[in-house]
């Protein structure tokens, strides 16, 4: 995969929406200024966190399930070529057609050709991260084809000409009053007296979508799971809109990342327990659709699946980072992340926000691409994401690994203040005598403190600290010196 | 038992009283404390900032220092630095392709304990008031630092010890498990997000009405204390070790909000 050179924003080498668009700290600063957003996020994430803890806590074998999920995905990644070929053979044998897409551009071209061949200018969509990732809606729109989102939250975002900010709850940044206003402004034929009562809003969306379901000839979906040994695909959802899209139209096109495979049908047992509990905090989601190829007289008569790489093989090639591909897009890490809770999803730029996005985007498109290098730093490394992950992706370790790649990518250039500081610190902190000598200088810092023995303003990058925190005046002697005196050593 | 103290760089340079208190507590239990002189830092700041190359000499120094002395176990008054010694040191050596250092780092890590872990699991402290004479007649709330809680799985050990201190009234901290926003260089690289996290943490601390916020890591306490000080909140921060070391005869004074005045009594 080609990579964008630094300093050339906007040049997207066919990888779709997998890039930070500006450096995270500045995007975060802007989003932090939106107090409505912070209130919405705090409310939504804390509600879902509590629900998740309730349903994961009630399972005595939750930790074993997580281990099983992790082990299964590790095995899939180790056998990916073989499993993909088995999947292709089984889909084909059951009457489906398999396409392989190297990147977003290729996937979009294939989808466009398939839709064009059906002679239609509109399609209905099941909520799908893969199609968000490749920017399919925008591509089809440019080519005269309207793609209608049928998931309620995706519909809200689409009507508002906005971007999703969460992988499970795309409109998490909108409260119901904002949703009502969007419907009144953008939904054709909507009741002008629409209230912000959730039931009323759902009914308005349902009336709007019903016509689309009944007339659409082509549906496009993603997939939660693809079963290698049967060619079966699965979509897990809450609203039933997915079931309508997957069964009513004549043609179904599914876009699936190559990492979504599971070896056998019985492996679903593990993941259909892990996913709903981790994602919506439900024991089981309302709708689980499974289909294998085509069946005469039942559901779509034409079925295509597009297997999407789009940087997944880059991630797979990274020994320290490849477990990021185990992700089942549950969003548990996003819901527990204190950084996400305060900035929201748009600050991350990419389709994938939060802790998983901070590792996936740079793993897939490169830490050097666009502003991706700032994403791995968007974490205090508190570890809440790792604890919540149903397949035990060690996100903090991968964040640190990617920081290392970012630092190494910039070696040899003009050193930053942090470069200079940390190199000096490495010298001082790798020898007890040197650290002791530095500590003898620390009391000089007492002069920088005011009468109240607080240091309130520091220069350079340390000014980031003193924007909201004091530093106490250093003590008159270090522990090392105290110990030496106590023990009559020199 | 012969116990090697890893003071950690931040305590050594900025908060020596936490290390002095650790020595006091261990000696009160009848153990011998040694201080390997070559020690400096765990290197976590370098690792977590992505400076793996620069972390190697720091890790190598730590391993050397804690191989140079004869002892039964090592202890540090920090969950974060102990997690680094146990988890990051072997990884840094492995990344540098130094299998020998990896093996030695793993051996040092196995002997290293966080303070509450050592007191509860190894030294059998169940009653700080009775066994250590711990006395601290103040209202205290407690922030469980992320690395102790999630990487070392310290569970209730630190809070349990605090509850066993005579005179201490422990007040529940709302949203206690939320990170304070420190995160090492995160606090300067993403200063705005870090400050927003800190604002919520300090608001929760202040809502308890406690006069002291206790914790097991001076890095987080420096961050929280820095915020409480800037807000002129009047709430002080103290390390668990300092509270355990405090006795009725020689009480630890509650410091001012920036943590600048304290009388530490050893033995």
């Amino acid at each position: 995969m080609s990579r964008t050179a630094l300093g050339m924003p906007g040049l997207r080498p066919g990888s779709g929406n997998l890039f930070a668009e500006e450096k995270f700290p500045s995007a975060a600063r802007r989003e932090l200024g939106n107090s409505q957003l912070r209130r919405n996020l705090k409310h939504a994430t804390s509600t879902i966190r509590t629900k998740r803890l309730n349903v994961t806590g009630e399972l005595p074998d939750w930790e074993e399930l997580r281990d099983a999920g992790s082990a299964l995905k590790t095995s899939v990644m180790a056998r990916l070529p073989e499993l993909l070929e088995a999947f292709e053979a089984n889909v084909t044998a059951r009457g489906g057609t398999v396409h392989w897409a190297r990147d977003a551009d290729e996937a979009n071209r294939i989808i466009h050709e398939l839709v064009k061949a059906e002679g239609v200018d509109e399609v209905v969509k099941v909520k799908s991260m893969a199609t968000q990732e490749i920017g399919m809606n925008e591509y089809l729109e440019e080519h005269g084809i309207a793609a209608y989102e049928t998931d309620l939250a995706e519909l809200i975002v689409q009507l508002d000409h906005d971007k999703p900010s969460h992988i499970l709850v795309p409109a998490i940044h909108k409260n119901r009053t904002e949703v009502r206003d969007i419907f009144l402004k953008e939904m054709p034929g909507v009741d002008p007296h629409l209230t912000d009562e959730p039931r009323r809003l759902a009914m308005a969306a349902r009336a709007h979508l019903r016509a689309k379901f009944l007339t659409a000839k082509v549906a496009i979906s993603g997939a939660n799971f693809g079963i290698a040994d049967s060619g079966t695909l699965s979509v897990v959802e809450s609203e039933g809109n997915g079931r309508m899209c997957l069964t009513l139209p004549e043609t179904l096109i599914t876009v699936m990342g190559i990492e979504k495979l599971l070896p056998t049908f019985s492996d679903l047992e593990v993941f259909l327990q892990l996913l709903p509990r981790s994602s919506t905090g439900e024991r089981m989601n309302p709708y689980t659709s499974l289909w294998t190829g085509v069946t005469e007289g039942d559901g779509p008569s034409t079925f295509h699946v597009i297997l999407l790489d789009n940087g997944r093989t880059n991630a797979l090639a990274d020994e320290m980072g490849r477990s990021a591909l185990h992700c089942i897009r549950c969003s548990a890490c996003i819901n527990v992340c204190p950084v996400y809770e305060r900035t929201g999803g748009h600050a991350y730029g990419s389709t994938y926000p939060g802790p998983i996005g901070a590792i996936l985007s740079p793993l897939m498109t490169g830490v050097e691409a666009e502003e991706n290098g700032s994403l791995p730093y968007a974490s205090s490394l508190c570890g809440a994401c790792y604890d919540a992950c149903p397949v035990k992706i060690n996100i903090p370790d991968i964040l640190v690994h990617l920081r290392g790649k970012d630092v190494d990518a910039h070696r040899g250039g003009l050193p930053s203040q942090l470069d200079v500081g940390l190199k000096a610190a490495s010298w001082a902190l790798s020898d007890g005598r040197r650290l002791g000598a530095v500590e003898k200088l620390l009391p000089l810092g007492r002069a920088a403190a005011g009468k109240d023995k607080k240091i309130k303003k520091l220069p350079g990058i340390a000014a980031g600290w003193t924007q909201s925190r004091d530093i106490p005046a250093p003590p008159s002697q270090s522990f090392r010196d105290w110990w030496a005196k106590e023990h009559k050593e020199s | 038992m012969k116990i090697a103290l890893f003071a950690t760089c931040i305590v050594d340079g900025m908060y020596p009283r936490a290390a002095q208190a650790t020595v006091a507590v261990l000696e009160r239990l009848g153990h011998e404390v040694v201080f390997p002189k070559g020690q400096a830092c765990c290197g976590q700041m370098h690792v977590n900032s992505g400076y793996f190359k620069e972390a190697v000499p720091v890790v190598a120094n730590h391993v050397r220092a804690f191989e140079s002395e004869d002892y039964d176990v090592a202890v540090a008054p920090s969950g974060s630095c102990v997690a680094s010694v146990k988890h990051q040191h072997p990884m840094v050596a492995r990344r540098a392709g130094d299998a020998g250092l990896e093996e030695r780092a793993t051996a040092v890590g196995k002997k290293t304990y966080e303070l509450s872990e050592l007191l509860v699991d190894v030294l059998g402290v169940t009653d700080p008031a009775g066994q250590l004479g711990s006395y601290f007649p103040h209202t205290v709330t407690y922030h469980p630092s992320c690395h102790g809680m999630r990487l070392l799985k310290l569970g209730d050990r630190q809070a349990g010890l605090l509850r066993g201190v005579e005179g201490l009234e422990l007040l529940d901290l709302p949203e206690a498990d939320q990170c304070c926003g420190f995160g090492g260089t995160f606090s300067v690289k993403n200063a705005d997000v870090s400050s927003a996290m800190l604002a919520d943490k300090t608001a929760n601390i202040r809502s308890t009405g406690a006069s002291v916020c206790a914790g097991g890591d001076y890095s987080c306490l420096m961050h929280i204390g820095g915020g409480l000080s800037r807000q002129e909140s009047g709430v002080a921060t103290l390390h668990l070790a300092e509270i355990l070391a405090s006795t009725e005869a020689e009480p630890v004074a509650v410091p001012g909000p920036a943590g600048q005045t304290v009388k530490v009594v050893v033995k």
Side-chain angles (χ1 to χ4, degrees):
Chain A
M1 168 152 325
S2 55
R3 289 198 169 133
T4 308
L6 280 171
M8 296 176 70
L11 187 68
R12 295 287 167 84
S15 303
N17 305 320
L18 283 173
F19 300 90
E21 286 161 357
E22 66 178 299
K23 284 198 190 322
F24 185 81
S26 63
R29 184 178 306 129
R30 186 182 54 247
E31 301 294 325
L32 278 166
N34 183 345
S35 54
Q36 178 71 53
L37 171 77
R38 277 174 73 181
R39 269 196 301 277
N40 294 357
L41 286 173
K42 169 101 186 168
H43 174 71
T45 56
S46 52
T47 307
I48 205 162
R49 259 184 235 162
T50 312
K51 281 179 74 182
R52 187 184 65 82
L53 286 175
N54 287 342
V55 295
T56 57
E58 71 183 13
L59 283 189
D61 61 346
W62 181 248
E63 289 308 312
E64 287 79 4
L65 274 172
R66 290 176 75 208
D67 286 334
S70 170
L72 276 164
K73 281 291 187 179
T74 304
S75 126
V76 167
M77 296 316 146
R79 301 163 51 204
L80 198 53
E82 165 206 332
L83 293 174
L84 280 167
E85 286 178 13
F87 178 77
E88 179 184 35
N90 287 318
V91 171
T92 311
R94 300 293 300 265
T97 309
V98 177
H99 308 261
W100 300 78
R102 200 171 281 122
D103 57 20
D105 280 359
E106 213 166 83
N108 283 327
R109 276 199 300 275
I110 296 168
I111 296 163
H112 178 223
E113 289 301 318
L114 293 172
V115 175
K116 214 164 60 179
E118 299 298 324
V120 298
D121 61 3
E122 58 178 53
V123 299
V124 286
K125 273 191 70 189
V126 187
K127 177 175 159 25
S128 139
M129 295 316 299
T131 56
Q132 291 284 0
E133 174 190 321
I134 62 178
M136 185 196 76
N137 291 7
E138 294 74 18
Y139 183 93
L140 290 181
E141 195 183 333
E142 279 167 30
H143 292 81
I145 295 164
Y148 292 102
E149 296 289 353
T150 64
D151 171 85
L152 176 56
E154 291 284 2
L155 174 69
I156 294 165
V157 169
Q158 188 176 39
L159 286 173
D160 197 33
H161 315 286
D162 194 4
K163 275 170 55 179
S165 67
H166 188 286
I167 67 178
L168 176 77
V169 199
I172 196 169
H173 55 295
K174 304 282 185 199
N175 64 22
R176 62 193 205 197
T177 312
E178 293 170 293
V179 172
R180 193 260 324 263
D181 295 345
I182 293 165
F183 280 12
L184 284 177
K185 187 157 161 267
E186 302 285 347
M187 191 179 272
V190 74
D191 173 6
H193 305 295
L194 182 68
T195 68
D196 66 0
E197 193 190 329
R199 197 174 67 92
R200 296 260 165 208
L201 295 172
M203 281 166 65
R206 188 174 290 156
H208 169 73
L209 290 171
R210 183 69 46 167
K212 302 289 174 204
F213 288 130
L214 295 175
T215 55
K217 286 204 159 72
V218 178
I220 300 180
S221 84
N224 290 100
F225 307 104
I227 309 301
D229 80 345
S230 65
T232 303
L233 285 135
S234 177
V235 161
V236 171
E237 46 135 0
S238 297
E239 296 173 15
N241 64 301
R243 177 69 56 81
M244 304 274 268
C245 291
L246 295 166
T247 52
L248 286 173
E250 291 159 17
T251 298
L252 173 62
I253 302 168
T254 297
V255 186
M256 181 178 93
I258 52 173
E259 84 285 15
K260 293 278 165 219
L261 285 186
L262 295 179
T264 68
F265 197 84
S266 61
D267 298 327
L268 279 174
E269 178 215 339
V270 172
F271 289 92
L272 290 180
Q273 292 184 76
L274 288 174
L275 181 53
R277 286 177 197 261
S278 301
S279 124
T280 48
E282 295 167 299
R283 294 187 177 118
M284 179 48 78
N285 50 289
Y287 294 88
T288 299
S289 299
L290 296 152
W291 71 99
T292 310
V294 292
T295 306
E296 212 181 307
D298 183 12
S301 53
T302 308
F303 170 57
H304 296 273
V305 57
I306 295 157
L307 294 173
L308 178 70
D309 179 349
N310 205 34
R312 284 161 178 78
T313 48
N314 289 347
L316 189 62
D318 186 326
E319 194 190 341
M320 294 285 293
R322 66 172 59 127
S323 62
L325 295 175
H326 299 184
C327 174
I328 56 174
R329 310 286 190 264
C330 72
S331 72
C333 65
I334 298 174
N335 296 330
V336 299
C337 178
V339 176
Y340 176 89
E341 185 188 316
R342 285 161 183 90
T343 66
H346 291 159
Y348 297 78
S350 161
T351 293
Y352 302 108
I356 189 65
I359 60 173
L360 265 183
S361 307
L363 280 167
M364 289 165 74
T365 50
V367 81
E368 307 91 338
E370 305 257 345
E371 305 295 353
N372 279 359
S374 71
L375 288 176
Y377 300 96
S379 165
S380 66
L381 303 177
C382 80
C385 49
Y386 182 26
D387 272 6
C389 178
V391 289
K392 291 194 171 176
I393 302 169
N394 191 335
I395 294 176
D397 269 9
I398 300 177
L399 286 166
V400 167
H401 162 67
L402 290 169
R403 291 176 187 186
K405 285 186 113 172
D406 176 58
V407 167
D408 288 344
H410 292 93
R411 283 187 195 276
L414 216 59
S416 67
Q417 278 184 49
L418 195 65
D419 287 330
V420 174
L422 286 177
K423 276 176 213 279
S426 170
W427 177 83
L429 295 173
S430 56
D431 185 306
R433 276 162 309 180
R434 285 184 216 144
L435 177 59
V438 172
E439 282 167 352
K440 287 201 191 301
L441 301 176
L442 268 180
L444 296 176
R446 293 164 81 85
K451 271 204 300 258
D452 53 4
K453 298 189 180 166
K454 297 176 184 179
I455 299 170
K456 295 189 164 173
K457 205 163 173 56
L458 289 169
I461 50 167
W465 177 276
T466 45
Q467 75 176 33
S468 64
R469 318 137 182 115
D470 296 333
I471 284 197
S476 51
Q477 70 176 349
S478 66
F479 174 78
R480 188 182 304 269
D481 284 348
W482 173 84
W483 177 274
K485 279 179 198 144
E486 283 287 305
H487 295 80
K488 308 278 180 270
E489 298 167 14
S490 59
Chain B
M1 199 176 260
K2 195 167 174 183
I3 300 170
L5 174 66
F6 171 33
T8 76
C9 65
I10 187 170
V11 164
D12 183 11
M14 289 295 288
Y15 301 96
R17 55 183 194 255
Q20 291 163 340
T22 301
V23 174
V25 165
L26 297 174
E27 290 185 346
R28 221 177 277 163
L29 288 167
H31 301 287
E32 182 194 351
V33 179
V34 294
F35 179 76
K37 269 197 295 187
Q39 68 176 277
C41 168
C42 67
Q44 185 179 184
M45 176 173 68
H46 289 97
V47 177
N48 288 350
S49 304
Y51 290 72
F52 285 93
K53 200 178 111 187
E54 287 76 7
V56 176
V58 183
V59 169
N61 177 70
H62 182 85
V63 172
R64 219 168 25 243
F66 282 84
E67 280 174 338
S68 69
E69 198 101 27
D70 202 29
Y71 60 90
D72 299 305
V73 292
V75 68
S78 161
S80 196
C81 305
V82 169
S84 172
V85 166
K86 284 180 174 300
H87 303 304
Q88 291 187 331
H89 285 196
M91 183 264 288
V92 167
R94 191 159 58 245
R95 264 182 101 103
D98 191 338
L101 181 61
E102 183 185 349
E103 197 181 314
R104 291 163 54 213
T106 305
V108 168
K110 277 196 182 132
K111 289 171 80 174
T112 307
Y113 291 81
E114 180 278 334
L115 178 61
S116 72
E117 208 178 17
L118 180 74
L119 291 175
V120 174
D121 298 359
V122 182
L123 305 181
V125 175
T126 52
D127 173 20
Q131 290 165 278
L132 296 164
S134 305
Y135 174 79
F136 192 75
H138 301 279
T139 49
V140 174
T141 192
Y142 160 71
H143 168 68
S145 286
C146 299
H147 292 172
M149 173 171 59
R150 300 204 177 90
L151 295 174
L152 298 180
K153 311 278 181 214
L154 293 181
D156 196 46
R157 289 179 182 81
Q158 294 184 342
L161 289 168
L162 287 173
R163 274 193 291 269
V165 173
E166 200 186 332
L168 186 152
E169 188 189 345
L170 190 63
L171 302 171
D172 278 344
L173 177 63
E175 301 179 346
D177 64 347
Q178 292 291 301
C179 176
C180 74
F182 175 53
T185 50
F186 173 77
S187 61
V188 293
K189 287 194 105 159
N190 277 286
D192 296 298
V193 185
S194 169
S195 294
M197 289 162 71
L198 176 62
D200 291 343
K201 179 58 71 181
T202 51
N204 279 325
I205 290 169
R206 296 176 70 170
S207 78
T208 66
S211 58
V212 172
C213 174
D217 275 87
Y218 248 124
S219 48
C220 314
L221 289 177
M222 177 172 79
H223 187 238
I224 293 169
L228 290 169
S229 161
R230 176 61 57 88
Q231 298 162 20
E232 309 279 357
S233 68
V235 183
T237 45
L238 270 181
H239 195 280
L240 167 73
E242 294 170 84
I243 293 176
L244 293 176
S246 177
T247 61
E248 194 161 3
E250 293 176 297
V252 166
V254 171
Q260 71 276 32
T261 53
V262 70
K263 184 181 151 216
V264 174
V265 184
V266 182
K267 287 175 219 176

